[in-house]
Amino acid sequence: MIQRETTTDVPEATDLPSIIRPYGDTTGDAMVQLSFTLPVPAGKRAELAALALARQMGLDPASVVHAKAMGPHFTFFIVYGKVNHLIDYAGIEVPEGREYPLLPAKEVDLAIRTVLKRRLVVVGACIGTDAHTVGIDAILNVKGFAGEKGLEYHREIQVVNMGAQVTVEELLERAKAEDADAVLVSQVVTQKNAHIHNTKQMAAAFHAAYPTAVGPGMGRPLLIAGGPRFDTVTEAELGVDRIFGKGTTPAEVASYLVHALLPTWTPQEDS
């Protein structure tokens, strides 16, 4: 019953180039394009400042291909230039993939029914001022994402979707009231690292509220954070049990719930 994953053919490591460089017009020309905003009024001096910054970043020669005033005191630039950097592509270590099998919906429900012997309760929300519910809805709502049904589709999972702009206090209170097994927090707004601040605050509140907990599923809910910009931090730094990035599907989350909360479950082999 384990869902087999299909992958496209990729070159063997021995077939990959060892040293590579970027290109813009022709292979190996080392041309790159970047954008940024400077806190100065648009004009010739601003463009020269943009070129000076580009040179300090290693672009030489460089040219300003686009400049646009962003109000009276800011200018947005697109700069095109040549870099002198090389990348040791063959030496890049690829992180290990998912450490648990991707389970079909029927097996997720079977695992919960067999081991937990009750419905697994999941509470989800966008916390802080984040009003972007697309991510949390894609995982929780029955309509799902990428052709997969969300967690509401599972008969053995009880989903409580609190929606957007939920405070940490409200989330904690609801999780306790529902006796949640897992808490899913979605963070899309990343300005000034709001996603990191909000998630750390949430994690700290839950750890404080369950001081005698041994771990996830053992005295406190499993804490999961999801969003497109969590790739710069680790679970330990945030205080959560799992981070899911962009492109995560409901099946990945459901399978992780089984993996983390029902460790005694043995995935069923294909018949």
Side-chain angles (χ1 to χ4, degrees):
M1 295 175 65
I2 298 177
Q3 181 174 331
R4 304 301 181 186
E5 300 178 64
T6 58
T7 57
T8 56
D9 292 335
V10 295
E12 295 292 336
T14 55
D15 299 329
L16 297 175
S18 177
I19 303 298
I20 61 173
R21 70 178 73 209
Y23 79 91
D25 296 318
T26 58
T27 301
D29 64 10
M31 301 298 288
V32 300
Q33 179 173 288
L34 61 92
S35 62
F36 52 85
T37 300
L38 292 180
V40 295
K44 189 62 178 178
R45 185 185 295 272
E47 293 189 15
L48 291 174
L51 289 176
L53 175 62
R55 284 194 293 271
Q56 291 185 52
M57 296 175 69
L59 275 68
D60 190 18
S63 60
V64 174
V65 296
H66 178 72
K68 182 177 178 59
M70 305 291 288
H73 305 298
F74 298 86
T75 308
F76 173 76
F77 294 97
I78 297 178
V79 176
Y80 190 61
K82 183 176 183 178
V83 298
N84 296 311
H85 306 86
L86 300 175
I87 303 168
D88 180 7
Y89 188 66
I92 293 177
E93 295 185 5
V94 181
E96 294 184 6
R98 188 178 56 248
E99 73 278 18
Y100 55 90
L102 192 63
L103 305 176
K106 288 184 178 180
E107 183 162 352
V108 170
D109 285 341
L110 177 62
I112 296 171
R113 187 166 58 249
T114 302
V115 179
L116 201 58
K117 302 184 186 303
R118 61 169 174 81
R119 298 182 77 191
L120 189 151
V121 181
V122 175
V123 175
C126 295
I127 59 175
T129 59
D130 200 324
H132 299 75
T133 62
V134 174
I136 196 71
D137 288 345
I139 299 301
L140 298 182
N141 290 1
V142 68
K143 63 184 179 181
F145 168 72
E148 294 182 3
K149 299 292 186 182
L151 299 188
E152 286 182 342
Y153 175 75
H154 294 266
R155 291 186 176 183
E156 302 299 333
I157 298 180
Q158 177 184 334
V159 173
V160 179
N161 188 345
M162 297 183 66
Q165 297 183 325
V166 177
T167 67
V168 169
E169 292 76 14
E170 291 170 336
L171 178 63
L172 178 58
E173 182 180 355
R174 188 63 181 273
K176 283 190 169 183
E178 299 288 346
D179 198 14
D181 297 292
V183 171
L184 276 62
V185 167
S186 174
Q187 290 286 267
V188 175
V189 175
T190 60
Q191 284 84 349
K192 297 183 179 180
N193 284 330
H195 60 307
I196 295 176
H197 170 75
N198 290 340
T199 306
K200 283 185 175 181
Q201 184 184 41
M202 180 276 298
F206 271 84
H207 285 291
Y210 297 90
T212 61
V214 176
M218 295 179 288
R220 69 163 172 83
L222 184 73
L223 302 179
I224 301 175
R229 292 283 299 278
F230 281 116
D231 52 348
T232 61
V233 291
T234 65
E235 285 88 355
E237 291 171 327
L238 291 180
V240 300
D241 301 300
R242 187 74 176 197
I243 297 173
F244 283 108
K246 58 185 177 180
T248 299
T249 65
E252 290 181 278
V253 177
S255 298
Y256 175 68
L257 292 176
V258 172
H259 168 76
L261 295 174
L262 311 174
T264 60
W265 175 254
T266 301
Q268 306 299 293
E269 296 295 335
D270 292 336
S271 57

